[in-house]
Amino acid sequence: MSQVMGERTADPCPRCSVEAVRRGSPTSAGGREVVGYTCDRCAHTWSRPVETDVDVYDIVRVDLPDVTLYGTVWQVRTDRIQVRGTSGAGGAWLRWVERWRVIIY
């Protein structure tokens, strides 16, 4: 299941349902860490909580500025997570990412 998908994974806006690449940004709301998003079409804003229950061997999606990765959690730290995956050419990769970029898949 680990793979690299295109340039990015597009998610639909909850209001207008238009799918587009959206880069989130870490912020806080109501004392919780969240990732905030804005729709370029309708200007709707929404957020999702930063994953707090990530465990080793979870399958995750990682939204990076230039690519969306899918892989398996290898290590978990307070502020970052190590993800392992495979590339289409059969090679493996291992990458540390900020916790707020990880979505349990």
Side-chain angles (χ1 to χ4, degrees):
M1 174 152 231
S2 301
Q3 58 186 338
V4 177
M5 294 293 290
E7 207 176 280
R8 295 274 300 164
T9 297
D11 290 325
C13 169
R15 178 184 285 165
C16 69
S17 299
V18 169
E19 290 190 16
V21 173
R22 295 187 180 82
R23 291 194 173 114
S25 58
T27 187
S28 62
R32 291 187 64 185
E33 289 185 70
V34 298
V35 180
Y37 298 93
T38 301
C39 178
D40 293 335
R41 181 169 184 252
C42 71
H44 177 66
T45 60
W46 69 96
S47 63
R48 67 165 177 83
V50 173
E51 303 282 2
T52 57
D53 59 347
V54 179
D55 289 319
V56 174
Y57 304 124
D58 282 347
I59 303 298
V60 296
R61 178 176 111 186
V62 181
D63 290 334
L64 299 172
D66 57 341
V67 69
T68 296
L69 302 173
Y70 292 84
T72 305
V73 173
W74 222 239
Q75 290 186 56
V76 178
R77 300 279 162 79
T78 304
D79 61 340
R80 59 193 176 126
I81 295 171
Q82 189 178 48
V83 180
R84 180 182 187 275
T86 56
S87 64
W93 52 266
L94 198 60
R95 188 167 190 168
W96 283 101
V97 296
E98 295 106 337
R99 180 181 285 271
W100 69 269
R101 296 186 181 274
V102 173
I103 300 169
I104 296 175
Y105 202 69

